[in-house]
Amino acid sequence: MSAPIALHPVPIDKLRVACSTCGLRELCLPIGLSDEELGKLDHLVTLRRSFRKGTNVYRAGEPFDALYAVRFGFFKTTVTAADGRDQVTGFSMAGELLGMDGIGTDKHTCDAVALEDSEVCVIPYGRLEEMSRELHSLQHHFHKVMSREIVRDHGVMMLLGSMRAEERLAAFLVNLSQRFTARGYSPSEFYLRMTREEIGSYLGLKLETVSRVFSKFQGEGLISVQQKHVRIIDIPRLRELIGQRPC
Amino acid sequence: MSAPIALHPVPIDKLRVACSTCGLRELCLPIGLSDEELGKLDHLVTLRRSFRKGTNVYRAGEPFDALYAVRFGFFKTTVTAADGRDQVTGFSMAGELLGMDGIGTDKHTCDAVALEDSEVCVIPYGRLEEMSRELHSLQHHFHKVMSREIVRDHGVMMLLGSMRAEERLAAFLVNLSQRFTARGYSPSEFYLRMTREEIGSYLGLKLETVSRVFSKFQGEGLISVQQKHVRIIDIPRLRELIGQRPC
DNA sequence: AGGTCACGTTGACATGGATCAAGCGCGGGA
DNA sequence: TCCCGCGCTTGATCCATGTCAACGTGACCT
C-alpha cells in the first residue's frame, strides 16, 4: 500500500492525454493558458510513459531531448560524483517537471528514478521551444518553472549549509506536507515513498540520524511515524523549528 | 590591489556598450549568435550600471524586472532564512548572469552584492522574452544558461551533502581556477575577493575550518596562501582530492 | 608614522552526527 | 503459514568540525 491518503484527491481516473482536460493543469506546464492556447498545447504533449518502481526515466550521460511532466507517482533525482558517491537532489511528484538539467549540455546530468509505479507526459523539448515562441504565456511560465527550480535549489543549499539535523528534517516534512496539500491530499498524513537512506542523502545526513530524529520528533509529540507512514501532529511547532512563524 | 593576475586578459578597456563588440561575447548571453543577430541584441542591452564594493545589485523581496550580466568585478549571492541566518549561494564573475531567481515570482529571492567595484549590463527581462521569440539561438542559449545554473546548484548540493571539508575547499579552488582560466587569467594564481566567512558560508563550513584547511593544504605543498592571495601549486593532487582523475 | 579595525590564524576543548554493531519487523515469495 | 531479506531502529563509541578565545597582520585613516 503506497497510495497517499486522499481527502479530496485529484481525480486521477479522469485524466486524459490532452493537457486541456488534465486534472493537473493548474499545477503543471499549462498554468495560465487560455482555452485556445491549451488546445494548441495538446499537440505538444501527446506521449505518455509509465515507469515501474525502481526504473529510470533517464540516466546521467544520456542524450537529452525531452522534459517529463509527472502525471502520477513519485520520483527521485540523483547526481553521481566522479568517485561514485551519489546525492539525491530532489523528489518529484504530480505536476512537477523532470529533465531540465539536460538543456544546458544536451545530455542529462542526473538520474531520475521512479520510487513507485508512475507515469509521465513526454514533452519533446524542441517542440516546447517552438511553441513557446508562439504562446507567450507558455514561454513565460516555462521560464518561471526553471527559475523556481533554481530558487528551490537555493533553499536546499541553505538547508545543507546552515541547518542542523532536526531543522533539516522538519523543513523536509513541512515541504512535503505543503506539496501534498497543494495536490488535494492530507497535509498531516502521508506515506513516504523514499527510504531513510534517500531522505538522508537529500538532507546530507546518514540514515541512522534520520531514523533517530524521526524517533525524537515522535517522542516529543510532533509527529507519529511507523515505517513509511507519517502523521504530522504539530505543524506549528515543526515550523518554529525551522524559524518560520507558525502561520 | 584586487585585480587578478593577468596572463592574457580579456581587454577590458576595449569593452563597449554593444554586445556585438563586447570582449565577453563568447562567455555571455550572445554565445552562438550570428553577426546580424548580435546587432539586434545591441538594442536589448543598452544600460550599464556600476556598483561599488559592498553595494547591492538587488535585494530579496524587491520587484524583479531585469537580469544582469557581469561585465567586470565580482559578486556574491545570498539567501536569508526566516530566522536571519544567511547562506552564500554563489559567486559570479565576468560573463555570468545574475537575477534568474526573480523570474519565478516576479520578486528577487536573494541578495546580490558586489565584492569589489564592479559593472553589469542591464537586460530588461520583458525585452529578453520578446527578443528570444525572434532569435531562436538567443532563446535556446538563455535556456541553456538557466539549465546550467540548475546543474551548478546540483554540484553544490553534492558538495554540501556528501563531501568533507578538505574536499569542499579543493572543489572550490579547482572551480575558481577553471573559471579564471576561461577568462584568460592564470589558472594557478589569483586573489580571492571573498572573506573566509563567505567561503565558509558557501561551503557549509565555519571560517576557522576554512582557514585551517587552507593552512593544511599549504603545509602539504598543494597551494600557497597569504591572506587573499592564492597560488595553486599542485592542481592534479587537488583534483584527486575531489575524486576526479588529474586530467 | 601611528592607531585602529576588520580579517585571518591558531590552539584548546566541546559536541553533533558518523560509524560500527546488534537486533527487530514487515512484506513478499514459496 | 513460514521463512527470508531489506529497511528500520537503537545503543555505544569515535571523530570531524564547531565553538570559544587569544593573538597576528595588513589596509586604511588621520
Side-chain angles (χ1 to χ4, degrees), chain B residues 5 189-192 224-231:
Chain B
I5 292 148
E189 197 163 1
F190 44 83
Y191 283 89
L192 300 171
S224 101
V225 225
Q226 217 183 334
Q227 305 283 110
K228 297 197 143 81
H229 180 221
V230 173
R231 192 159 55 88

Side-chain angles (χ1 to χ4, degrees), chain A residues 38-107:
Chain A
L38 257 181
K40 290 186 183 169
L41 207 60
D42 289 344
H43 299 292
L44 170 61
V45 182
T46 53
L47 181 62
R48 279 183 292 168
R49 288 182 59 195
S50 299
F51 296 91
R52 308 302 302 235
K53 179 173 175 170
T55 58
N56 281 59
V57 182
Y58 54 81
R59 289 170 208 271
E62 287 178 4
F64 162 81
D65 53 15
L67 298 175
Y68 306 91
V70 179
R71 179 187 264 285
F72 62 81
F74 216 90
F75 296 86
K76 69 170 176 182
T77 50
T78 61
V79 290
T80 304
D83 61 9
R85 276 179 291 195
D86 50 337
Q87 167 77 27
V88 172
T89 55
F91 298 105
S92 309
M93 53 177 85
E96 296 174 343
L97 224 50
L98 285 166
M100 293 178 291
D101 58 279
I103 301 170
T105 55
D106 294 318
K107 291 201 185 303

Side-chain angles (χ1 to χ4, degrees), chain A residues 9 18-19 32 42 56 79 93 120 124 193 220 228 235:
Chain A
C19 290
D42 289 344
N56 281 59
V79 290
M93 53 177 85
V120 302
R193 272 70 169 185
E220 292 169 344
K228 296 198 142 83
I235 292 203

Side-chain angles (χ1 to χ4, degrees), chain A residues 163 167 170-171 174 178 234-247, chain B residues 80-85:
Chain A
M163 291 177 129
E167 298 173 309
V174 168
Q178 287 173 338
D234 197 341
I235 292 203
R237 271 213 288 153
L238 275 183
R239 284 184 187 281
E240 272 172 44
L241 256 181
I242 52 175
Q244 291 181 208
R245 288 299 85 226
C247 118
Chain B
T80 303
D83 62 8
R85 274 179 292 195

Side-chain angles (χ1 to χ4, degrees), chain B residues 200-236:
Chain B
S201 171
Y202 181 60
L203 299 179
L205 302 170
K206 291 295 160 182
L207 67 93
E208 294 94 330
T209 305
V210 174
S211 183
R212 274 185 246 274
V213 176
F214 269 131
S215 300
K216 179 156 190 275
F217 282 175
Q218 178 159 247
E220 292 169 345
L222 289 173
I223 63 173
S224 101
V225 225
Q226 217 183 334
Q227 305 283 110
K228 297 197 143 81
H229 180 221
V230 173
R231 192 159 55 88
I232 301 185
I233 296 168
D234 197 341
I235 293 204

Side-chain angles (χ1 to χ4, degrees), chain B:
Chain B
M1 174 52 184
S2 70
I5 292 148
L7 278 187
H8 34 272
V10 174
I12 285 175
D13 53 326
K14 289 191 189 144
L15 297 179
R16 290 198 11 230
V17 185
C19 290
S20 54
T21 59
C22 176
L24 291 168
R25 66 179 178 282
E26 294 305 324
L27 283 169
C28 192
L29 212 51
I31 297 180
L33 298 196
S34 68
D35 286 351
E36 189 196 337
E37 291 169 329
L38 257 181
K40 290 187 184 171
L41 207 60
D42 290 343
H43 299 293
L44 170 61
V45 182
T46 53
L47 182 62
R48 279 182 291 166
R49 287 182 60 194
S50 299
F51 295 90
R52 308 301 302 238
K53 180 175 176 171
T55 58
N56 281 59
V57 182
Y58 54 81
R59 287 169 210 272
E62 288 179 0
F64 162 81
D65 53 15
L67 299 175
Y68 305 91
V70 179
R71 180 187 264 285
F72 64 81
F74 216 89
F75 296 85
K76 69 170 175 180
T77 50
T78 61
V79 290
T80 303
D83 62 8
R85 274 179 292 195
D86 48 335
Q87 167 78 28
V88 172
T89 54
F91 298 105
S92 309
M93 55 175 85
E96 295 174 343
L97 225 51
L98 285 167
M100 293 178 291
D101 58 281
I103 301 170
T105 56
D106 293 319
K107 289 199 187 305
H108 287 289
T109 61
C110 59
D111 289 20
V113 181
L115 295 180
E116 63 183 355
D117 293 355
S118 304
E119 198 173 288
V120 302
C121 294
V122 179
I123 304 169
Y125 181 66
R127 303 265 294 282
L128 175 61
E129 285 202 344
E130 271 173 45
M131 200 155 290
S132 71
R133 276 174 229 136
E134 222 181 294
L135 305 180
H136 298 190
S137 51
L138 176 64
Q139 176 194 36
H140 189 56
H141 184 63
F142 175 51
H143 293 169
K144 284 187 173 217
V145 170
M146 294 203 95
S147 169
R148 288 201 196 110
E149 179 67 17
I150 291 170
V151 171
R152 186 193 72 84
D153 292 347
H154 289 173
V156 177
M157 285 185 214
M158 163 65 77
L159 193 127
L160 293 170
S162 43
M163 291 179 131
R164 293 152 14 82
E166 291 174 30
E167 298 172 310
R168 295 184 199 188
L169 198 66
F172 175 71
L173 289 172
V174 168
N175 175 267
L176 276 187
S177 166
Q178 287 173 337
R179 286 155 77 198
F180 281 125
T181 305
R183 282 158 185 77
Y185 300 110
S186 168
S188 61
E189 197 163 1
F190 44 83
Y191 283 89
L192 300 171
R193 271 71 170 185
M194 65 297 277
T195 65
R196 300 292 189 262
E197 188 172 16
E198 287 161 339
I199 297 172
S201 171
Y202 181 60
L203 299 179
L205 302 170
K206 291 295 160 182
L207 67 93
E208 294 94 330
T209 305
V210 174
S211 183
R212 274 185 246 274
V213 176
F214 269 131
S215 300
K216 179 156 190 275
F217 282 175
Q218 178 159 247
E220 292 169 345
L222 289 173
I223 63 173
S224 101
V225 225
Q226 217 183 334
Q227 305 283 110
K228 297 197 143 81
H229 180 221
V230 173
R231 192 159 55 88
I232 301 185
I233 296 168
D234 197 341
I235 293 204
R237 270 212 290 155
L238 276 183
R239 284 185 189 280
E240 271 171 44
L241 256 181
I242 53 178
Q244 292 181 210
R245 288 298 84 229
C247 117

